[in-house]
Amino acid sequence: HVQLVESGGGSVQAGGSLTLACTASGYTYSIHCMGWFRQAPGKEREGIASIDSNGGTSYTDSVNGRFAISKDNAKNTLYLQMTSLKPEDTAMYYCAARSGGICSTSIGPDDYDYWGQGTQVTVS
């Protein structure tokens, strides 16, 4: 199994920046793909960024150019650098991991194997 723990959420004014982190532990060698999802109240959970084991990245249109996903393999940590934040970015943010298959923001939450507990981001 893999355990994921997010950190770095908080409140920020529109136009500001935040960086989220997700630290993985357990059988991390089994991870092929990691992604960031977010879920606003009353909305479905949406994938916004993903990164595969080779460092290939994918972004959804709503965050492309403003958010950057990266990972530090030595620290088993995934990051999401968020800039030019907008009120519509307000949501609970989750990191997720999967062991196989393709890695893209087109992959839905049901295809991910492991999830963190989430961290709240509020933009006002």
Side-chain angles (χ1 to χ4, degrees):
H1 288 285
V2 173
Q3 294 80 42
L4 303 173
V5 179
E6 301 100 333
S7 61
S11 297
V12 64
Q13 291 188 336
S17 301
L18 275 177
T19 297
L20 306 182
C22 172
T23 301
S25 60
Y27 293 108
T28 57
Y29 62 86
S30 68
I31 296 174
H32 162 66
C33 174
M34 297 193 76
W36 285 100
F37 285 74
R38 66 185 180 186
Q39 188 168 20
K43 295 189 177 181
E44 293 185 352
R45 190 169 298 191
E46 64 166 338
I48 58 172
S50 65
I51 186 166
D52 66 25
S53 55
N54 295 318
T57 59
S58 174
Y59 299 93
T60 193
D61 288 346
S62 62
V63 307
N64 195 24
R66 299 188 298 123
F67 292 9
I69 189 172
S70 63
K71 59 180 180 173
D72 184 330
N73 291 327
K75 296 181 178 180
N76 287 326
T77 301
L78 177 74
Y79 299 99
L80 185 69
Q81 294 177 287
M82 305 185 292
T83 63
S84 302
L85 283 161
K86 306 174 181 179
E88 50 264 44
D89 294 318
T90 295
M92 185 71 79
Y93 283 69
Y94 300 89
C95 69
R98 64 187 308 223
S99 301
I102 63 174
C103 191
S104 165
T105 50
S106 64
I107 302 301
D110 289 345
D111 290 314
Y112 278 80
D113 304 307
Y114 307 103
W115 290 87
Q117 82 288 349
T119 186
Q120 178 68 37
V121 172
T122 302
V123 185
S124 60

